[in-house]
Amino acid sequence: MFKPEQIKFVKPKKLSEYDLLVGFWDFSYTQQGDTKAFVLIGCDSNYFTVLDIFNRNCDISKALIYHFTNGYKWFKQNSNLIVYYDANVAQQAIYTPVLMQAAMKYRSMVIPLPTHNGTDKFIKISTILGNVLSNGKLVFSETMLNNPDWDEATHQLFSFEKGSKIHDDFPDALSECVRQAQLLYSINENDSEDYITKPVFGKRKRGGY
């Protein structure tokens, strides 16, 4: 479904130069099961740029160390950062206290927020990624070529097919990260600035005074 020729590499900007940073975690329940996957996307008026990934078969502690140690660096460079994680009711019950404890341990404000998309996984991934890869809106930082998880991530991405036995945690995390970025930062197909909706971060006006 997805081919290597659809992957376009670009030289990344400084994190501070992106209008918005969006991250998404796909946690798994067991160390022996699915891989834990993460994607960080930088949004600007032209592209959604994949800036960092994590895709490993490991326990939750290693994923949290990666998140909170790097989350501090990302937030320090660009405070317009928001991170989500896939969370049905069961996952929220398990991971909420774990995430809060880890945040206190690492003294981090970058706590992933729960969200869940009940859409059929194959339809979701094929539709979202098929669209942004075919129209060139999703690009990848050239630093991904040196990322230790890149080979596993692309193996999952290029092996993604209906009924495939290959893990699909990275394509799932990537599609969800793109979906959240689209909700927060809309890029119009005609690339006209008149149609670009950027996130607005400002102080709330208080009334009655």
Side-chain angles (χ1 to χ4, degrees):
M1 178 174 292
F2 304 120
K3 307 299 181 183
E5 53 267 26
Q6 293 179 293
I7 304 300
K8 178 183 178 182
F9 292 102
V10 298
K11 183 176 181 179
K13 301 190 294 186
K14 295 179 180 179
L15 291 187
S16 59
E17 295 177 353
Y18 289 99
D19 297 319
L20 177 67
L21 300 178
V22 181
F24 191 91
W25 276 100
D26 184 358
F27 294 126
S28 61
Y29 281 104
T30 65
Q31 184 176 349
Q32 305 302 323
D34 294 342
T35 56
K36 292 176 174 58
F38 171 76
V39 178
L40 179 71
I41 285 178
C43 306
D44 61 25
S45 58
N46 297 310
Y47 303 110
F48 291 147
T49 304
V50 176
L51 300 172
D52 195 15
I53 62 170
F54 181 99
N55 193 199
R56 303 173 195 175
N57 190 300
C58 63
D59 59 36
I60 186 66
S61 63
K62 292 182 179 179
L64 294 181
I65 289 172
Y66 189 89
H67 172 78
F68 286 109
T69 54
N70 286 285
Y72 171 79
K73 301 173 185 177
W74 302 327
F75 186 78
K76 189 175 181 180
Q77 296 180 64
N78 191 334
S79 60
N80 291 340
L81 165 67
I82 187 166
V83 180
Y84 298 93
Y85 75 100
D86 182 52
N88 56 31
V89 175
Q91 288 172 320
Q92 284 193 51
I94 292 173
Y95 285 117
T96 296
V98 173
L99 290 170
M100 295 304 296
Q101 291 172 10
M104 289 188 289
K105 177 180 179 180
Y106 294 100
R107 299 181 180 180
S108 175
M109 298 173 57
V110 187
I111 305 173
L113 302 175
T115 184
H116 186 64
N117 185 349
T119 305
D120 176 83
K121 183 183 290 188
F122 178 79
I123 294 174
K124 176 189 67 176
I125 295 174
S126 59
T127 301
I128 294 176
L129 295 187
N131 179 52
V132 292
L133 287 173
S134 63
N135 65 25
K137 291 300 184 183
L138 181 66
V139 296
F140 297 78
S141 167
E142 61 188 15
T143 60
M144 291 297 96
L145 293 171
N146 296 319
N147 188 296
D149 297 336
W150 181 245
D151 287 344
E152 174 62 24
T154 51
H155 173 62
Q156 292 187 14
L157 182 63
F158 300 147
S159 301
F160 179 75
E161 295 287 349
K162 194 173 184 65
S164 173
K165 301 300 183 181
I166 304 298
H167 290 311
D168 57 10
D169 307 283
F170 176 74
D172 195 15
L174 180 59
S175 67
E176 279 296 326
C177 196
V178 169
R179 187 177 77 90
Q180 295 298 335
Q182 289 174 328
L183 292 173
L184 295 168
Y185 193 109
S186 175
I187 299 179
N188 190 273
E189 291 296 328
N190 61 20
D191 292 328
S192 169
E193 292 186 0
D194 294 335
Y195 294 92
I196 296 172
T197 303
K198 295 185 178 181
V200 178
F201 299 87
K203 294 182 179 179
R204 181 184 297 177
K205 295 181 179 180
R206 299 178 64 184
Y209 294 92

